[in-house]
Amino acid sequence: MQLFLQPLYSQLNLGVENCPLGCTSKCIVTQRASQLQPPPGCACPLSSHQAKTYQEIIHGDADIICNQAATGDGKTLGANLPGLINPDFRMMGLYPTIELVEDQTEQQNKYNALFGLDASRRVDRLYGAELNRRVKQAEKSNKFQELLLAIQQKPVLLTNPDIFHYITHYQYRDPAYGSDLLPLVLAEWPDLWVFDEFHIFGSHQETAAVNSLAFIRRSQENQSRPRRFLFTSATPKADFIQQLRQVGFKVAEIEGVYASEEKPGFRQILQAVELEFVELAKDADTQTWLKEMIPTIQQILNAESKARGLIIVNSVAKAGQVTRLLNDLLPGVKVREISGRIDRQQRIQVQSELKDAEAPVLVVGTSAVDVGVDFKIHLLIFESSDSATIMQRLGRLGRHPGFNAYKAFILIPGHTPWVMARLQEKLTANQTVPRKVLEDAIACAFDPPKEFENYRQRWGALQAQGMFWRMTQENKYVSEIVRAKMTADLQRVYSQDFESVRKQWFAMQNNSVGKATQKQLLSFRGGSTLQAAVWDSNNFYT
């Protein structure tokens, strides 16, 4: 079924005298960043949601801000604006993938340059491999010391929620320091924590985040300086937002204002897209369909002077298979892979080719490119998944003008015929549709993200007990005060009695299964006892 997806326009901030930034006679943003100019007839270059986000962070009374603006509408700039206007403002950005950390580092370089700031002096980025490199490079150092240095050294630290979690759960230790030093420095240092694309995580990670946020709030509640948490996602989970409110956080939700046609006071953020839902035959797979579509794909690439496309599949193995297949079938096209088995150096090379290669470039990726990473493409092909992931993947397309046309194919497996039937109930072939109508149809036709609703009731309090156990091993008096207040907060979400759960936690230490369960509860993404190592051509990965 073919559809024509309308472009999307975002309402701009009204500007001077009506400005949430407090501008009275001149626009602060254009004064600080002269290259950021509004469209003709408009007073401010910011989208309305960016200005509202700034206002909530600097002047609002909410503990947690949820920016739910559409994909491609500049949630990153909205999050970074306080630090760009006030260089002393301190921010920790938490991004779910290494690819996104690196992409945000590039965004920081760009934004700091626009505002006349030196990103090399202001911005640091840190994830597992980089942390290991710093420990190895330094003399007589360890992860505790390197993290302590990174947190305090520059006003902007870009990292992932894993490191944030392990710090707040007292997982990093150094015998020369108290075990509570690093968590308390983390809780004290930033003015703002940004959780980007947190919707991709499940109940275990949400529970861990709620516990960590409760710790930061209660350990710093006597400080006069306000601390905010910003969650940015075009597809937030209402249930998670409700959890945050149950714990006692005041939450402000911010949305953009949109139109499907050009109008005064609006700026185009997404291009029109020709979209096709493809139901695969029962005995066919993605590779089979791609083989049949080679002439069409070649024609689409040939129509652009610097053709760029993205194919997203649901497994690392299939990404490798598709890459090899298309390398054989599309001579003259640079077919490149981005997945969990591709190292950082190779990914940098792919990004370079996307920017500079004269030949057509076709990237084959997995969920590593699902969220946040900005690709300048005109062709998008992807395997369907849950409804939220489909909208995220579709948001990769049409973010950049300059191509003649934008084309997307969404592949539906043959063993789910009801999906196409549901789509046909909501949509008509060759219909021109606004994006909100498409989003509603996709939500109806495809399954929502899988949730384990009973997780927090079964394991949430135990997860919190693991955190308490770590906290009270040192500086017991202070930790018990914080713990008592956190217990009152978290009891609103977790139904179990905390005293009985505390006894259960200590009883688990008496056997190997209990100890293994504790280890998993204190982890962030979890793990498996099944380990495998794969040698694939020149790539070795586990």
Side-chain angles (χ1 to χ4, degrees):
M1 179 170 62
Q2 180 172 281
L3 300 168
F4 298 95
L5 188 57
Q6 291 182 328
L8 193 65
Y9 297 82
S10 175
Q11 186 183 55
L12 295 172
N13 179 38
L14 293 177
V16 175
E17 295 183 359
N18 295 296
C19 182
L21 278 69
C23 303
T24 54
S25 59
K26 294 183 179 180
C27 175
I28 295 174
V29 175
T30 55
Q31 279 186 308
R32 302 288 180 88
S34 59
Q35 294 182 48
L36 276 180
Q37 292 296 324
C42 298
C44 179
L46 299 179
S47 292
S48 59
H49 74 87
Q50 293 170 332
K52 290 175 185 176
T53 299
Y54 177 93
Q55 182 183 40
E56 281 293 343
I57 293 171
I58 300 300
H59 304 297
D61 61 353
D63 306 299
I64 294 172
I65 302 122
C66 296
N67 186 322
Q68 305 170 13
T71 297
D73 198 14
K75 291 186 289 294
T76 297
L77 177 57
N80 284 286
L81 203 56
L84 295 169
I85 291 176
N86 174 14
D88 293 328
F89 187 87
R90 294 175 291 192
M91 184 197 89
M92 175 177 281
L94 307 171
Y95 306 96
T97 65
I98 294 175
E99 200 69 32
L100 195 47
V101 172
E102 296 288 5
D103 181 76
Q104 290 298 313
T105 303
E106 290 299 315
Q107 293 280 5
Q108 284 282 349
N109 291 338
K110 181 180 76 172
Y111 289 140
N112 276 268
L114 285 172
F115 280 78
L117 302 171
D118 184 355
S120 67
R121 294 178 176 271
R122 301 189 69 250
V123 181
D124 193 8
R125 58 98 169 95
L126 192 63
Y127 43 82
E130 174 63 15
L131 179 58
N132 290 335
R133 186 194 67 79
R134 294 185 187 186
V135 171
K136 187 176 180 180
Q137 185 181 56
E139 292 184 9
K140 298 180 180 180
S141 186
N142 55 38
K143 290 182 179 180
F144 184 104
Q145 294 181 28
E146 292 303 320
L147 286 167
L148 193 61
L149 183 64
I151 290 171
Q152 297 177 306
Q153 193 173 33
K154 296 179 180 180
V156 178
L157 176 60
L158 310 179
T159 183
N160 54 46
D162 308 63
I163 287 177
F164 170 82
H165 167 85
Y166 289 125
I167 292 175
T168 58
H169 283 68
Y170 291 67
Q171 300 280 56
Y172 297 107
R173 293 177 177 269
D174 186 319
Y177 299 88
S179 61
D180 60 348
L181 175 62
L182 188 57
L184 290 175
V185 167
L186 171 68
E188 192 276 335
W189 176 78
D191 299 295
L192 176 70
W193 290 263
V194 179
F195 293 78
D196 192 39
E197 307 290 7
F198 201 76
H199 69 273
I200 72 170
F201 290 115
S203 301
H204 176 88
Q205 292 82 16
E206 291 172 359
T207 301
V210 168
N211 295 343
S212 295
L213 268 57
F215 165 75
I216 290 173
R217 175 174 63 173
R218 290 309 184 186
S219 67
Q220 300 296 312
E221 63 181 344
N222 294 324
Q223 304 297 319
S224 59
R225 180 166 56 89
R227 288 162 177 78
R228 316 275 191 221
F229 305 96
L230 172 64
F231 287 81
T232 57
S233 171
T235 54
K237 294 180 182 178
D239 181 60
F240 179 57
I241 295 174
Q242 180 58 28
Q243 284 183 61
L244 296 171
R245 288 193 167 110
Q246 280 183 273
V247 175
F249 288 108
K250 185 172 183 180
V251 180
E253 297 182 64
I254 295 173
E255 298 180 351
V257 180
Y258 300 104
S260 294
E261 57 186 24
E262 188 173 0
K263 56 193 300 187
F266 283 71
R267 170 178 52 209
Q268 186 171 5
I269 59 170
L270 292 173
Q271 308 297 311
V273 171
E274 184 181 335
L275 171 62
E276 188 169 342
F277 289 98
V278 179
E279 185 176 29
L280 302 177
K282 287 186 178 181
D283 58 346
D285 58 12
T286 299
Q287 293 93 311
T288 303
W289 181 83
L290 286 169
K291 287 179 185 176
E292 296 171 353
M293 289 293 292
I294 288 299
T296 302
I297 293 172
Q298 189 71 70
Q299 183 180 6
I300 293 171
L301 296 176
N302 289 342
E304 303 290 344
S305 58
K306 289 182 69 172
R308 300 291 185 265
L310 174 63
I311 299 174
I312 308 176
V313 294
N314 292 333
S315 77
V316 174
K318 188 176 288 187
Q321 293 165 3
V322 169
T323 301
R324 290 188 291 272
L325 173 70
L326 296 182
N327 264 316
D328 293 336
L329 298 179
L330 290 171
V333 177
K334 294 179 180 291
V335 183
R336 301 291 185 259
E337 180 183 348
I338 294 181
S339 70
R341 73 189 193 96
I342 303 301
D343 64 33
R344 182 62 203 153
Q345 199 57 43
Q346 289 173 292
R347 294 185 186 207
I348 292 173
Q349 179 62 32
V350 173
Q351 294 285 0
S352 175
E353 289 179 331
L354 279 168
K355 291 179 182 178
D356 303 324
E358 292 299 325
V361 179
L362 194 56
V363 174
V364 181
T366 58
S367 57
V369 300
D370 263 357
V371 290
V373 180
D374 193 11
F375 288 97
K376 188 175 182 178
I377 57 172
H378 62 91
L379 170 63
L380 176 65
I381 301 168
F382 64 87
E383 294 180 327
S384 61
S385 180
D386 60 71
S387 55
T389 301
I390 289 171
M391 292 308 300
Q392 283 290 330
R393 290 180 175 178
L394 192 56
R396 301 304 103 211
L397 182 64
R399 298 160 71 110
H400 298 276
F403 295 108
N404 297 317
Y406 299 81
K407 178 74 177 180
F409 297 91
I410 302 178
L411 308 184
I412 304 170
H415 62 265
T416 59
W418 59 86
V419 170
M420 186 62 82
R422 291 174 183 172
L423 286 170
Q424 290 170 341
E425 290 175 2
K426 298 289 184 179
L427 303 167
T428 304
N430 297 314
Q431 177 184 359
T432 299
V433 295
R435 290 176 184 260
K436 186 64 174 73
V437 171
L438 177 68
E439 183 179 350
D440 292 343
I442 286 174
C444 175
F446 293 89
D447 291 335
K450 294 291 186 293
E451 295 293 337
F452 298 93
E453 296 177 1
N454 294 327
Y455 176 89
R456 77 179 69 94
Q457 300 307 327
R458 175 66 181 86
W459 298 106
L462 264 176
Q463 208 167 324
Q465 287 301 328
M467 188 181 197
F468 294 159
W469 172 61
R470 291 274 184 171
M471 284 172 56
T472 53
Q473 287 181 335
E474 191 167 335
N475 200 351
K476 189 173 182 179
Y477 175 73
V478 174
S479 295
E480 285 190 348
I481 294 174
V482 173
R483 169 183 167 171
K485 293 181 178 181
M486 287 179 62
T487 298
D489 293 338
L490 299 174
Q491 190 73 71
R492 302 170 189 163
V493 180
Y494 310 138
S495 59
Q496 303 105 311
D497 174 69
F498 267 57
E499 180 58 27
S500 62
V501 173
R502 185 183 70 84
K503 295 176 181 178
Q504 182 183 353
W505 175 268
F506 286 105
M508 291 168 69
Q509 297 177 354
N510 296 326
N511 61 79
S512 59
V513 174
K515 289 179 179 179
T517 303
Q518 288 179 329
K519 184 177 180 181
Q520 289 300 308
L521 286 170
L522 286 172
S523 70
F524 184 71
R525 303 197 193 220
S528 170
T529 56
L530 179 64
Q531 294 185 342
V534 179
W535 177 263
D536 182 1
S537 183
N538 295 321
N539 298 295
F540 179 78
Y541 62 102
T542 57

